[in-house]
Amino acid sequence: MKLRKEGGGIMSGSATEPAVLPPSPAQIVPTDLSEQMLELDDDDDLEVFSKDVTVTDGGAFSTSDQISPCSLLNQYGFEEEEGDSNVKDIFVTVDNPESHVTTIETFITYRVLTKTTRSEFDASEYEVRRRYQDFLWLRGRLEEAHPTLIVHPLPEKFVVKGMVERFSDDFIETRKRALHRFLNHVAEHPILSCSEDLKVFLTAQAWELTSHKKQGPGFLSRMGETVRAVAASVRGVRNRPEQFNAMQEYVESFGQKISSLDKIAQRIVKEQKEYLEELRECGPTYTLWSGSEEELVEPLKGVASCLDRCCKEKEDQVRQLSEHLAPTLHEYALCADTLKAVLRRRDNIQAELEAKNDALATKKIDREAEPRERGVVWQSLLGRDPEEARQQKQHRLEGEIVELKEDIDKLEDRVEWANNALKGDWNRWQRSKRRDLRSAFVHMAEKNVDYYEKCLAVWESFLVSQRTEFGDGAERRLPSTS
Amino acid sequence: MKVHVVVKMKRKRVKDRDVCGTTLLKTMEINVAEAEKRTGKNAVNMLETYTVYLIETRPVDTVSEGISPTPDSLWRRYSEFEILRNYLLVTYPFVVVPPLPEKRAEFVWHKLSADNMDPDFVERRRVGLENFLLRVASHTALSNDKIFFTFLTEENGWKEIVFETGFQAKADSRLKALNATFRVKNPDKRFAEMKHYGDELQSVISQLLRVRARVADRLYGVYKVHGNYGRVFSEWSAIEKEMGDGLQSAGHHMDAYAASVDDILEEEEHYADQLKEYLFYMDSLKAVCRKHELTQFELEMAAQDLSSKKQQREELATGTVRTFSLKGMTSKLFGQETPEQREAKMKVLEEQIQEGEEEVKEKNSECDEFVNNAWCDIERFKDQKDHDLKEALISYAIMQISMCKKGIQVWSNAKECFNKM
């Protein structure tokens, strides 16, 4: 963390780095490198970038990311980060949903507030308005730039169950809170929070964001990625390291359990709401009864008022459940999907490496092989000198082999980087998961205790009011439990 | 269901509160201790299964002296209780007779079986029957009834004795009278108000019982779903290293929470039974008011009859026909009667008038007596009702408190476990 501040370099995954650098004192040599890189004019940058695209299979994977020592240090920094969350230097909040009506559409924007002391930000406070699409874009970019890092999920586009109206207050509030959590997870991530895209997202004016969005890998290169990804996943990976097998197993089980819990939590909310609906009828019935009585008016009204107050407390309790536990469980169910995707992408990178190794092996065999059977006949048909043809072929093969070896070198680096990134981020995710889920369940238990304590107080005060009137009847009350 | 008698006694809702007059309860301790299934041939010679209840009686002195001799006991089935009650209704029409527990389970929510053979239902009926006997035994008029005493002490032959009283016929005519429509000119306002109150209370308590049943159903759902947490936590803890212990123990508390609803709802059933007793009491209350209307109506009829006879006498004496009558018409058509005929008629009329006046006097005092006795019992009933229902509401509050305390405990424990996650 400290290094990042001092370095002031921009470590992000975006393809084009705007040449705006905060003036930084000449310090450690490594950061100078990245500054040098950035002084290359645009064309060179793009060329370098596009070359890398074919090799790395990750859209916005830039060379600055590959060699920037700060990002390497950040990797190692994962392990040192156990419980170190006090060094928070960026605070983000999402609030204040507002409706925007244009001739074409109506949509909601949310206010995004940023407070930071990071030097790569020009100011210390920013206020912008963003819509859901913008969040989707940001997450997409982050995943593209860091295919084997775990990016927190976004709330879903729409809720299929329950026919939630797109613009209902509840829906908007739930989404707002989920967006807030998303941004906070990103801002707390040591690598993701350095993303240029994140910075633009948090600071840019609407038009600036739009133009920034237009940059980045084009549609075709992204298509190329997808094709490659599909091909890789069809190929499958052969020697997945055991560590990742264990992760895969864990993710499968975890995903199932969390999904179950998600469903249970939602079911409980539903049952509580139905209970509350029925309970609301009780108070009024006792009040109605009191209208026919003389001596019993006070106790009946007392019971009615107790029931009404208990209803209020139940409302509170249910709201707490829907606002905290349920969404958290749902998010971690979505996380399981994210994790599966991350593992898949890692597998694909490794699969590509394996494929290239296979290709290399084949080519080597080709090189050693006697061309007699295949090539000679063909060449003589074409009227070429067989010996010349063979030499041409050998030459070509050698060239291909050299190229393949270079590719493989790069891929090996890439695989190692991807594996390390994932390993580091996995531990980080585990800690974050534990913290989030623990706090969600503790919160639920607290609110449940709260509910019962408040109801207890209500009924006890009723008893007190009755006992003072009842006098000698106190001993005649029924024992409450066996 | 051989449970020691003392344990069951705490369910007693009735205490001997009467200050004036002696009641049976002062000298005798009564319990409905057990229930048993029997099989036997019924009236149409078919095999049937039914439940019998053991009534135990003991002289009060021995108990208070600490000696506990074996109680006298006999077995009775529900239908015999019904016969006893019908007898009391007919014999003491001015008394608000206590009701029996319901014949079939009503206002049930899904878990409760509506089956008469269900052990929970049988147990609650046992309590209800005991309550009925205690209420009768603590009533000054009812408790001194011979038939009631025999019901408690003579197992065999009681049925013959009660039918010998001929109450059955009276019961039939009573029912007919209660259901007949007639208009009373001058009912005692208090009884009219009481009847109206009876209707209102029946309506509101029925509504309350229905709402309560639905609430119980929903509460059951809420608690039981938490049991799923227990199951999934346990499965989940198997794949977690650090979170496992906390999850596992939290799961146990979730199971405990889910299970706790059964006791809670059973307690609430007893509260519902207390409400039901007064719901059913309203039939008796309204019957007493109705009986007053009947006696008042009969008085009015007798008075009206007398008054019309007196008028006829007057007409006969003065020769004027003021009201339209067949006699008047015929006399106009066929000529007036002879003095002898008139004298004969006059004599009959005088006799009838004298009888009528006796009748009216009788009916009047009947009416007065009934009003006095009935109103006295209604006042007694009102006090009893106010006391019992207030106690019931307080016990309901106590139940809620107990439920809250359990909830606090479970969730506090769960929170501790979650903190260890």
Side-chain angles (χ1 to χ4, degrees), chain B residues 395-414:
Chain B
S395 79
Y396 180 73
I398 291 176
M399 267 188 267
Q400 298 307 303
I401 287 171
S402 154
M403 179 172 104
C404 289
K405 285 189 174 158
K406 282 189 208 166
I408 291 171
Q409 188 176 51
V410 164
W411 286 106
S412 299
N413 290 337

PDB file of all heavy atoms in Angstrom, chain B residues 395-414:
ATOM      1  N   SER B 395     -53.134 -14.343  31.724  1.00  0.00           N
ATOM      2  CA  SER B 395     -52.360 -15.547  31.413  1.00  0.00           C
ATOM      3  C   SER B 395     -51.872 -15.505  29.978  1.00  0.00           C
ATOM      4  O   SER B 395     -50.805 -16.026  29.661  1.00  0.00           O
ATOM      5  CB  SER B 395     -53.183 -16.803  31.677  1.00  0.00           C
ATOM      6  OG  SER B 395     -54.074 -17.038  30.617  1.00  0.00           O
ATOM      7  N   TYR B 396     -52.633 -14.872  29.093  1.00  0.00           N
ATOM      8  CA  TYR B 396     -52.189 -14.712  27.710  1.00  0.00           C
ATOM      9  C   TYR B 396     -50.937 -13.859  27.665  1.00  0.00           C
ATOM     10  O   TYR B 396     -49.962 -14.180  26.970  1.00  0.00           O
ATOM     11  CB  TYR B 396     -53.305 -14.081  26.878  1.00  0.00           C
ATOM     12  CG  TYR B 396     -52.955 -13.871  25.431  1.00  0.00           C
ATOM     13  CD1 TYR B 396     -52.873 -14.943  24.554  1.00  0.00           C
ATOM     14  CD2 TYR B 396     -52.718 -12.590  24.930  1.00  0.00           C
ATOM     15  CE1 TYR B 396     -52.553 -14.753  23.222  1.00  0.00           C
ATOM     16  CE2 TYR B 396     -52.403 -12.399  23.606  1.00  0.00           C
ATOM     17  CZ  TYR B 396     -52.319 -13.489  22.749  1.00  0.00           C
ATOM     18  OH  TYR B 396     -52.001 -13.301  21.436  1.00  0.00           O
ATOM     19  N   ALA B 397     -50.947 -12.770  28.445  1.00  0.00           N
ATOM     20  CA  ALA B 397     -49.766 -11.914  28.491  1.00  0.00           C
ATOM     21  C   ALA B 397     -48.567 -12.693  29.032  1.00  0.00           C
ATOM     22  O   ALA B 397     -47.451 -12.579  28.528  1.00  0.00           O
ATOM     23  CB  ALA B 397     -50.039 -10.685  29.353  1.00  0.00           C
ATOM     24  N   ILE B 398     -48.812 -13.492  30.050  1.00  0.00           N
ATOM     25  CA  ILE B 398     -47.731 -14.289  30.626  1.00  0.00           C
ATOM     26  C   ILE B 398     -47.160 -15.256  29.590  1.00  0.00           C
ATOM     27  O   ILE B 398     -45.953 -15.456  29.490  1.00  0.00           O
ATOM     28  CB  ILE B 398     -48.228 -15.048  31.872  1.00  0.00           C
ATOM     29  CG1 ILE B 398     -48.516 -14.053  32.997  1.00  0.00           C
ATOM     30  CG2 ILE B 398     -47.208 -16.086  32.329  1.00  0.00           C
ATOM     31  CD1 ILE B 398     -49.097 -14.685  34.230  1.00  0.00           C
ATOM     32  N   MET B 399     -48.055 -15.835  28.787  1.00  0.00           N
ATOM     33  CA  MET B 399     -47.613 -16.734  27.711  1.00  0.00           C
ATOM     34  C   MET B 399     -46.727 -16.005  26.724  1.00  0.00           C
ATOM     35  O   MET B 399     -45.698 -16.519  26.289  1.00  0.00           O
ATOM     36  CB  MET B 399     -48.834 -17.262  26.959  1.00  0.00           C
ATOM     37  CG  MET B 399     -49.346 -18.553  27.446  1.00  0.00           C
ATOM     38  SD  MET B 399     -50.615 -19.118  26.316  1.00  0.00           S
ATOM     39  CE  MET B 399     -52.058 -18.470  27.083  1.00  0.00           C
ATOM     40  N   GLN B 400     -47.150 -14.793  26.354  1.00  0.00           N
ATOM     41  CA  GLN B 400     -46.365 -14.024  25.388  1.00  0.00           C
ATOM     42  C   GLN B 400     -44.991 -13.727  25.968  1.00  0.00           C
ATOM     43  O   GLN B 400     -43.973 -13.804  25.278  1.00  0.00           O
ATOM     44  CB  GLN B 400     -47.075 -12.711  25.040  1.00  0.00           C
ATOM     45  CG  GLN B 400     -48.435 -12.883  24.386  1.00  0.00           C
ATOM     46  CD  GLN B 400     -48.381 -13.779  23.183  1.00  0.00           C
ATOM     47  OE1 GLN B 400     -47.646 -13.542  22.232  1.00  0.00           O
ATOM     48  NE2 GLN B 400     -49.158 -14.849  23.207  1.00  0.00           N
ATOM     49  N   ILE B 401     -44.976 -13.386  27.263  1.00  0.00           N
ATOM     50  CA  ILE B 401     -43.701 -13.076  27.907  1.00  0.00           C
ATOM     51  C   ILE B 401     -42.784 -14.291  27.876  1.00  0.00           C
ATOM     52  O   ILE B 401     -41.592 -14.193  27.577  1.00  0.00           O
ATOM     53  CB  ILE B 401     -43.938 -12.594  29.351  1.00  0.00           C
ATOM     54  CG1 ILE B 401     -44.519 -11.174  29.312  1.00  0.00           C
ATOM     55  CG2 ILE B 401     -42.661 -12.630  30.169  1.00  0.00           C
ATOM     56  CD1 ILE B 401     -44.994 -10.672  30.647  1.00  0.00           C
ATOM     57  N   SER B 402     -43.371 -15.445  28.198  1.00  0.00           N
ATOM     58  CA  SER B 402     -42.572 -16.670  28.192  1.00  0.00           C
ATOM     59  C   SER B 402     -42.002 -16.936  26.803  1.00  0.00           C
ATOM     60  O   SER B 402     -40.839 -17.301  26.639  1.00  0.00           O
ATOM     61  CB  SER B 402     -43.451 -17.828  28.658  1.00  0.00           C
ATOM     62  OG  SER B 402     -42.984 -19.031  28.153  1.00  0.00           O
ATOM     63  N   MET B 403     -42.846 -16.719  25.780  1.00  0.00           N
ATOM     64  CA  MET B 403     -42.403 -16.927  24.401  1.00  0.00           C
ATOM     65  C   MET B 403     -41.252 -15.981  24.062  1.00  0.00           C
ATOM     66  O   MET B 403     -40.264 -16.382  23.435  1.00  0.00           O
ATOM     67  CB  MET B 403     -43.586 -16.691  23.462  1.00  0.00           C
ATOM     68  CG  MET B 403     -43.254 -16.855  22.003  1.00  0.00           C
ATOM     69  SD  MET B 403     -44.736 -16.792  21.001  1.00  0.00           S
ATOM     70  CE  MET B 403     -44.612 -15.169  20.325  1.00  0.00           C
ATOM     71  N   CYS B 404     -41.374 -14.714  24.497  1.00  0.00           N
ATOM     72  CA  CYS B 404     -40.320 -13.744  24.211  1.00  0.00           C
ATOM     73  C   CYS B 404     -39.022 -14.136  24.906  1.00  0.00           C
ATOM     74  O   CYS B 404     -37.935 -14.049  24.326  1.00  0.00           O
ATOM     75  CB  CYS B 404     -40.739 -12.347  24.667  1.00  0.00           C
ATOM     76  SG  CYS B 404     -42.034 -11.633  23.642  1.00  0.00           S
ATOM     77  N   LYS B 405     -39.157 -14.585  26.155  1.00  0.00           N
ATOM     78  CA  LYS B 405     -37.945 -14.963  26.897  1.00  0.00           C
ATOM     79  C   LYS B 405     -37.222 -16.118  26.197  1.00  0.00           C
ATOM     80  O   LYS B 405     -35.992 -16.113  26.074  1.00  0.00           O
ATOM     81  CB  LYS B 405     -38.293 -15.350  28.330  1.00  0.00           C
ATOM     82  CG  LYS B 405     -38.612 -14.159  29.187  1.00  0.00           C
ATOM     83  CD  LYS B 405     -38.748 -14.515  30.656  1.00  0.00           C
ATOM     84  CE  LYS B 405     -38.929 -13.245  31.487  1.00  0.00           C
ATOM     85  NZ  LYS B 405     -39.556 -13.514  32.778  1.00  0.00           N
ATOM     86  N   LYS B 406     -38.002 -17.091  25.734  1.00  0.00           N
ATOM     87  CA  LYS B 406     -37.382 -18.209  25.023  1.00  0.00           C
ATOM     88  C   LYS B 406     -36.658 -17.705  23.781  1.00  0.00           C
ATOM     89  O   LYS B 406     -35.546 -18.116  23.465  1.00  0.00           O
ATOM     90  CB  LYS B 406     -38.454 -19.223  24.590  1.00  0.00           C
ATOM     91  CG  LYS B 406     -38.933 -20.132  25.686  1.00  0.00           C
ATOM     92  CD  LYS B 406     -39.812 -21.240  25.098  1.00  0.00           C
ATOM     93  CE  LYS B 406     -40.817 -21.708  26.138  1.00  0.00           C
ATOM     94  NZ  LYS B 406     -41.886 -22.528  25.572  1.00  0.00           N
ATOM     95  N   GLY B 407     -37.334 -16.802  23.063  1.00  0.00           N
ATOM     96  CA  GLY B 407     -36.750 -16.269  21.838  1.00  0.00           C
ATOM     97  C   GLY B 407     -35.455 -15.538  22.113  1.00  0.00           C
ATOM     98  O   GLY B 407     -34.461 -15.711  21.392  1.00  0.00           O
ATOM     99  N   ILE B 408     -35.444 -14.739  23.185  1.00  0.00           N
ATOM    100  CA  ILE B 408     -34.232 -13.991  23.529  1.00  0.00           C
ATOM    101  C   ILE B 408     -33.093 -14.958  23.799  1.00  0.00           C
ATOM    102  O   ILE B 408     -31.963 -14.775  23.336  1.00  0.00           O
ATOM    103  CB  ILE B 408     -34.471 -13.092  24.755  1.00  0.00           C
ATOM    104  CG1 ILE B 408     -35.419 -11.953  24.386  1.00  0.00           C
ATOM    105  CG2 ILE B 408     -33.158 -12.537  25.295  1.00  0.00           C
ATOM    106  CD1 ILE B 408     -35.893 -11.145  25.567  1.00  0.00           C
ATOM    107  N   GLN B 409     -33.408 -16.007  24.538  1.00  0.00           N
ATOM    108  CA  GLN B 409     -32.358 -16.955  24.891  1.00  0.00           C
ATOM    109  C   GLN B 409     -31.769 -17.624  23.655  1.00  0.00           C
ATOM    110  O   GLN B 409     -30.554 -17.655  23.462  1.00  0.00           O
ATOM    111  CB  GLN B 409     -32.922 -17.996  25.839  1.00  0.00           C
ATOM    112  CG  GLN B 409     -31.848 -18.893  26.401  1.00  0.00           C
ATOM    113  CD  GLN B 409     -32.443 -19.853  27.421  1.00  0.00           C
ATOM    114  OE1 GLN B 409     -33.419 -20.527  27.144  1.00  0.00           O
ATOM    115  NE2 GLN B 409     -31.851 -19.903  28.579  1.00  0.00           N
ATOM    116  N   VAL B 410     -32.654 -18.144  22.813  1.00  0.00           N
ATOM    117  CA  VAL B 410     -32.184 -18.863  21.626  1.00  0.00           C
ATOM    118  C   VAL B 410     -31.338 -17.975  20.732  1.00  0.00           C
ATOM    119  O   VAL B 410     -30.244 -18.347  20.301  1.00  0.00           O
ATOM    120  CB  VAL B 410     -33.376 -19.426  20.826  1.00  0.00           C
ATOM    121  CG1 VAL B 410     -32.948 -19.827  19.435  1.00  0.00           C
ATOM    122  CG2 VAL B 410     -33.979 -20.606  21.528  1.00  0.00           C
ATOM    123  N   TRP B 411     -31.832 -16.772  20.469  1.00  0.00           N
ATOM    124  CA  TRP B 411     -31.113 -15.907  19.532  1.00  0.00           C
ATOM    125  C   TRP B 411     -29.853 -15.318  20.139  1.00  0.00           C
ATOM    126  O   TRP B 411     -28.886 -15.046  19.411  1.00  0.00           O
ATOM    127  CB  TRP B 411     -32.039 -14.824  18.970  1.00  0.00           C
ATOM    128  CG  TRP B 411     -32.990 -15.401  17.989  1.00  0.00           C
ATOM    129  CD1 TRP B 411     -34.329 -15.642  18.169  1.00  0.00           C
ATOM    130  CD2 TRP B 411     -32.700 -15.884  16.671  1.00  0.00           C
ATOM    131  NE1 TRP B 411     -34.880 -16.219  17.052  1.00  0.00           N
ATOM    132  CE2 TRP B 411     -33.896 -16.379  16.114  1.00  0.00           C
ATOM    133  CE3 TRP B 411     -31.531 -15.926  15.906  1.00  0.00           C
ATOM    134  CZ2 TRP B 411     -33.959 -16.920  14.824  1.00  0.00           C
ATOM    135  CZ3 TRP B 411     -31.607 -16.461  14.618  1.00  0.00           C
ATOM    136  CH2 TRP B 411     -32.800 -16.949  14.097  1.00  0.00           C
ATOM    137  N   SER B 412     -29.830 -15.148  21.456  1.00  0.00           N
ATOM    138  CA  SER B 412     -28.579 -14.712  22.083  1.00  0.00           C
ATOM    139  C   SER B 412     -27.527 -15.799  21.948  1.00  0.00           C
ATOM    140  O   SER B 412     -26.367 -15.522  21.614  1.00  0.00           O
ATOM    141  CB  SER B 412     -28.796 -14.415  23.564  1.00  0.00           C
ATOM    142  OG  SER B 412     -29.725 -13.390  23.724  1.00  0.00           O
ATOM    143  N   ASN B 413     -27.951 -17.026  22.179  1.00  0.00           N
ATOM    144  CA  ASN B 413     -27.019 -18.143  22.004  1.00  0.00           C
ATOM    145  C   ASN B 413     -26.543 -18.238  20.568  1.00  0.00           C
ATOM    146  O   ASN B 413     -25.357 -18.420  20.296  1.00  0.00           O
ATOM    147  CB  ASN B 413     -27.689 -19.462  22.395  1.00  0.00           C
ATOM    148  CG  ASN B 413     -27.933 -19.559  23.885  1.00  0.00           C
ATOM    149  OD1 ASN B 413     -27.268 -18.883  24.666  1.00  0.00           O
ATOM    150  ND2 ASN B 413     -28.880 -20.377  24.279  1.00  0.00           N
ATOM    151  N   ALA B 414     -27.503 -18.094  19.647  1.00  0.00           N
ATOM    152  CA  ALA B 414     -27.137 -18.188  18.230  1.00  0.00           C
ATOM    153  C   ALA B 414     -26.140 -17.090  17.875  1.00  0.00           C
ATOM    154  O   ALA B 414     -25.178 -17.316  17.139  1.00  0.00           O
ATOM    155  CB  ALA B 414     -28.384 -18.078  17.367  1.00  0.00           C
TER     156      ALA B 414
END
